[in-house]
Amino acid sequence: MLTNVHVKNLALIDETEIYFKEGLNILTGETGAGKSIIIGSINLALGGKAPKDIVREGTDYGLVELVFESESNDVMKKLQEADISCEDGQIIISRKIVNGRSTIRVNGETVSAAFLKELSPLIIDIYGQHDNQYLINKSKHLGLLDDFGGESIKSKMAKVDELYKMYKELSDSLKDFDMDEEERNKEISFLEFQINDIEEAALRSGEDDELEEEYKKITHSKKIAEALGGVYSAIGDGIFAQSIERSIRELSQIVEFDCTIKGFYDILMDMEAMCRDLSRDIWEYMEEMSFDEERVHYVEERLDTINRLKLKYDGKNGNGSIDDVETNLDKLRERLEMLRNADTRLAAIKEELGRAETSLRAESIKLTAARKKAAGVFEKKLTEELKDLNFNEVSFKVDFEEASHFTSKGIDVAEFYISTNAGEKLKPLSDVASGGELSRIMLGLKTIMAGKEDTETLIFDEIDTGISGRTAQRVSEKLKLISKNHQVMAITHLPQIAAMADSHFLIEKSVKAGKTVTDISELDNEKAVMELARMLGGKEITDIAVENAREMKKMAVE
């Protein structure tokens, strides 16, 4: 759930900190107080588009930070895939805007907006009147029905998905044979040339590194010889060697007088022995360091051959290794073998594909049957909820069609149809419902989905648009019901809904230091009653309004 929202320097907000709770969190305030800024800030943190003037005037940056506590396995898996650590299920999402540019971080790691759009639906679902695409988008309907169907559908979907992957792999493999005899023979000839080109070179793993080392030695042989000659002269019989010999003679005359001097003497003796050994080794190395023209020519040509083959066949533009060339050689051999036996292999794939298609269709039909069974319950329950939300003459149906091709989700295309008035025929949801009606339909949907969806936090913005009286009371009851399984946040101007709050937050606008700012604070029970009274009676808060507000709050608790 969303536990904390920190906003700084955004729109009318100077700086505010909000601590949300479990259950139903209600946000209220007078018109123009900035209620939409809070939801806008949350949307912004989750990768929403940042308006040009979103950063508060006179400040260097804008910041919004969200803190979530999650137990969802899907959320943890998504974070692990991105190599983002998550301790104790805490997820911190922040977005900082400086000079029109944004930086988004999740638990301290910089992420892209694309990643955030994949992560955010797993932890929060924001629904406002401007988010109607969620409901009217036909492509979403099948997924909603599958979520409602639960395990009975998910288990069958898993089988279909597994079979579809096999079917797709076999279908894709047929493309390898999509050529005529002339094309196939041309490719066979080219593959034979490539394979022969590599095999003739008789490459050996690590050979390129060895030759590079030798070539480096050859090209720098003069410099090596000069340097080693200088060292040999110094330690063989030169000044360095003579200095050590003279020092040994000097100390040999006094070594018996002091044990410390004996230590110095022993070190010098060791140095003399090491110098003799080193000078001998250097002499032998210089004696052996000769390269005949034939060897030099071989190394150069061999390196040219290896580098040419790596450039053509290592798959890394020449930056790979001999092992990469050999790996590609195996692939070329496999492709050649496949083309040489194309007719036999093609017949085998077609036979295997036929069996896979039969199995996939059989499981897809079972999935369709499960969906249609779930759809019957879905239709009945949603219709009941909609009638409870003052759609008195509503009819609702899930329409099924068979897709033109297999998918990982079967062969079904589903679309929601609805009629909101008596005597009207059912029409696609996108053609019928208004914005306010869609808000209530979404609420009805969330009610029947309570306990089935994994998303832990739901936000309803403008859920009360165009409703009042009994409908408003029903909406408040639905929100309360949903909040038993999810953390729910709702912005409202209706006292019937606000009275149901487990936690009530007031958004106020004021002028500080000559600037308009928006503040938000959590209300205790008495202050919540006074806010309800304001919502009931306007600016003039009468004793009757306060008493009515107190009664509403009491009834909501009961």
Side-chain angles (χ1 to χ4, degrees):
M1 70 174 187
L2 178 60
T3 60
N4 176 258
V5 176
H6 176 212
V7 183
K8 185 173 183 178
N9 300 335
L10 290 183
L12 295 179
I13 297 177
D14 181 17
E15 185 167 17
T16 191
E17 194 97 10
I18 315 165
Y19 293 91
F20 290 113
K21 313 286 180 57
E22 293 181 348
L24 181 57
N25 295 261
I26 294 294
L27 293 85
T28 64
E30 293 186 2
T31 302
K35 297 188 291 295
S36 61
I37 297 175
I38 303 301
I39 303 302
S41 297
I42 294 173
N43 264 318
L44 189 67
L46 297 173
K49 186 177 180 180
K52 289 183 179 179
D53 58 349
I54 189 66
V55 176
R56 188 169 172 79
E57 188 177 347
T59 61
D60 297 328
Y61 68 92
L63 173 70
V64 56
E65 185 175 80
L66 312 179
V67 180
F68 292 89
E69 300 288 344
S70 178
E71 297 178 357
S72 169
N73 292 329
D74 290 337
V75 173
M76 296 304 115
K77 182 179 178 182
K78 178 62 69 176
L79 293 175
Q80 287 172 3
E81 289 173 356
D83 200 25
I84 296 174
S85 62
C86 181
E87 296 181 3
D88 302 323
Q90 187 177 80
I91 304 161
I92 302 175
I93 300 174
S94 67
R95 185 173 182 181
K96 189 174 184 179
I97 303 173
V98 182
N99 297 326
R101 296 193 174 187
S102 296
T103 302
I104 304 172
R105 288 188 172 87
V106 176
N107 286 2
E109 300 290 339
T110 302
V111 301
S112 65
F115 170 79
L116 205 56
K117 286 182 179 179
E118 293 177 2
L119 174 67
S120 58
L122 301 176
I123 53 179
I124 190 168
D125 182 3
I126 302 176
Y127 188 82
Q129 201 171 7
H130 300 294
D131 299 307
N132 292 335
Q133 293 299 319
Y134 182 83
L135 263 185
I136 65 176
N137 189 342
K138 177 181 174 180
S139 65
K140 303 289 186 183
H141 294 177
L142 188 64
L144 289 169
L145 178 61
D146 288 342
D147 288 340
F148 176 81
E151 191 56 40
S152 63
I153 288 180
K154 286 182 180 178
S155 59
K156 292 179 175 60
M157 279 183 64
K159 289 182 180 179
V160 168
D161 182 57
E162 182 180 351
L163 289 169
Y164 176 76
K165 287 175 182 175
M166 295 171 55
Y167 169 81
K168 187 71 166 56
E169 187 176 334
L170 289 166
S171 297
D172 290 343
S173 66
L174 286 179
K175 295 175 184 176
D176 293 333
F177 301 92
D178 188 19
M179 61 178 68
D180 57 30
E181 190 69 22
E182 183 179 352
E183 286 179 303
R184 186 168 64 181
N185 288 334
K186 282 183 179 179
E187 186 173 350
I188 287 174
S189 296
F190 186 57
L191 286 168
E192 288 174 339
F193 167 77
Q194 289 179 306
I195 292 169
N196 186 61
D197 192 24
I198 299 173
E199 288 180 339
E200 276 190 344
L203 301 175
R204 177 172 54 81
S205 180
E207 181 184 6
D208 49 347
D209 293 332
E210 294 172 8
L211 290 172
E212 288 286 358
E213 189 67 27
E214 185 176 356
Y215 185 71
K216 191 189 300 182
K217 182 177 175 181
I218 290 171
T219 55
H220 296 89
S221 57
K222 183 179 179 181
K223 189 174 183 179
I224 293 171
E226 288 175 353
L228 288 178
V231 174
Y232 178 78
S233 297
I235 65 174
D237 56 2
I239 297 173
F240 184 73
Q242 293 171 11
S243 296
I244 292 176
E245 289 176 2
R246 184 168 59 253
S247 298
I248 290 173
R249 285 197 302 271
E250 293 289 342
L251 290 184
S252 66
Q253 300 175 30
I254 59 173
V255 69
E256 61 185 68
F257 304 138
D258 191 328
C259 61
T260 301
I261 295 174
K262 177 66 166 60
F264 299 155
Y265 178 81
D266 291 341
I267 291 173
L268 285 168
M269 291 295 289
D270 290 340
M271 289 176 64
E272 183 185 38
M274 290 175 64
C275 286
R276 284 198 305 270
D277 292 342
L278 180 58
S279 63
R280 184 180 63 251
D281 292 342
I282 290 174
W283 174 261
E284 290 175 355
Y285 182 85
M286 289 191 298
E287 284 289 300
E288 294 173 0
M289 198 183 73
S290 60
F291 306 100
D292 58 56
E293 288 297 322
E294 186 176 339
R295 180 62 186 175
V296 172
H297 182 68
Y298 169 80
V299 171
E300 290 177 340
E301 280 202 337
R302 185 62 176 168
L303 278 174
D304 285 344
T305 298
I306 291 172
N307 290 331
R308 177 182 63 82
L309 292 175
K310 289 200 307 189
L311 187 62
K312 290 176 68 176
Y313 304 114
D314 68 4
K316 299 177 181 179
N317 297 320
N319 295 314
S321 64
I322 287 177
D323 290 340
D324 294 320
V325 175
E326 292 292 338
T327 298
N328 194 38
L329 175 61
D330 291 337
K331 292 178 181 178
L332 294 172
R333 287 168 175 160
E334 289 175 10
R335 175 69 176 172
L336 179 61
E337 184 66 20
M338 185 271 289
L339 290 176
R340 282 174 173 170
N341 299 284
D343 294 336
T344 303
R345 180 62 183 148
L346 179 59
I349 289 176
K350 285 183 176 179
E351 184 179 345
E352 197 174 348
L353 181 61
R355 290 195 297 269
E357 183 175 348
T358 299
S359 298
L360 178 56
R361 180 166 293 279
E363 288 300 326
S364 294
I365 290 172
K366 291 179 184 178
L367 177 57
T368 299
R371 280 173 171 156
K372 288 183 175 179
K373 183 179 179 180
V377 181
F378 183 79
E379 292 165 351
K380 182 181 178 181
K381 287 194 171 185
L382 186 55
T383 300
E384 290 173 354
E385 292 297 331
L386 294 179
K387 286 182 177 179
D388 213 21
L389 288 166
N390 218 21
F391 286 92
N392 297 322
E393 301 295 336
V394 70
S395 297
F396 180 84
K397 180 178 176 57
V398 182
D399 182 70
F400 284 90
E401 291 182 6
E402 184 173 328
S404 59
H405 56 276
F406 288 109
T407 73
S408 60
K409 296 180 180 179
I411 52 174
D412 300 318
V413 176
E415 184 173 9
F416 295 164
Y417 276 65
I418 193 170
S419 170
T420 56
N421 298 300
E424 289 186 353
K425 68 176 184 178
L426 291 160
K427 294 180 182 179
L429 184 62
S430 58
D431 296 343
V432 177
S434 65
E437 288 174 328
L438 283 170
S439 295
R440 281 186 284 154
I441 293 170
M442 173 58 76
L443 185 57
L445 181 63
K446 292 296 183 184
T447 303
I448 67 172
M449 296 292 287
K452 295 178 181 290
E453 292 183 310
D454 294 329
T455 307
E456 294 164 286
T457 299
L458 307 177
I459 297 181
F460 292 94
D461 186 14
E462 302 179 19
I463 193 68
D464 54 13
T465 300
I467 64 171
S468 60
R470 181 178 178 277
T471 304
Q473 184 60 34
R474 288 301 190 186
V475 167
S476 71
E477 292 168 358
K478 300 302 179 188
L479 288 172
K480 190 69 172 180
L481 179 61
I482 296 171
S483 71
K484 294 184 183 300
N485 294 284
H486 303 272
Q487 181 193 40
V488 176
M489 298 173 197
I491 291 178
T492 185
H493 65 277
L494 294 179
Q496 295 97 321
I497 295 175
M500 290 289 186
D502 294 309
S503 301
H504 191 153
F505 298 86
L506 177 63
I507 301 171
E508 297 177 289
K509 187 164 66 175
S510 61
V511 178
K512 295 180 180 179
K515 292 185 177 181
T516 302
V517 296
T518 291
D519 292 313
I520 182 168
S521 57
E522 185 176 2
L523 304 179
D524 58 25
N525 189 68
E526 190 58 32
K527 288 181 180 178
V529 168
M530 295 305 293
E531 172 63 5
L532 287 178
R534 181 197 65 78
M535 297 171 77
L536 284 165
K539 291 184 178 180
E540 283 285 333
I541 302 177
T542 65
D543 291 342
I544 295 175
V546 173
E547 189 59 34
N548 287 340
R550 206 179 300 280
E551 186 65 23
M552 287 182 70
K553 193 68 180 172
K554 181 181 177 182
M555 290 177 64
V557 173
E558 293 175 353

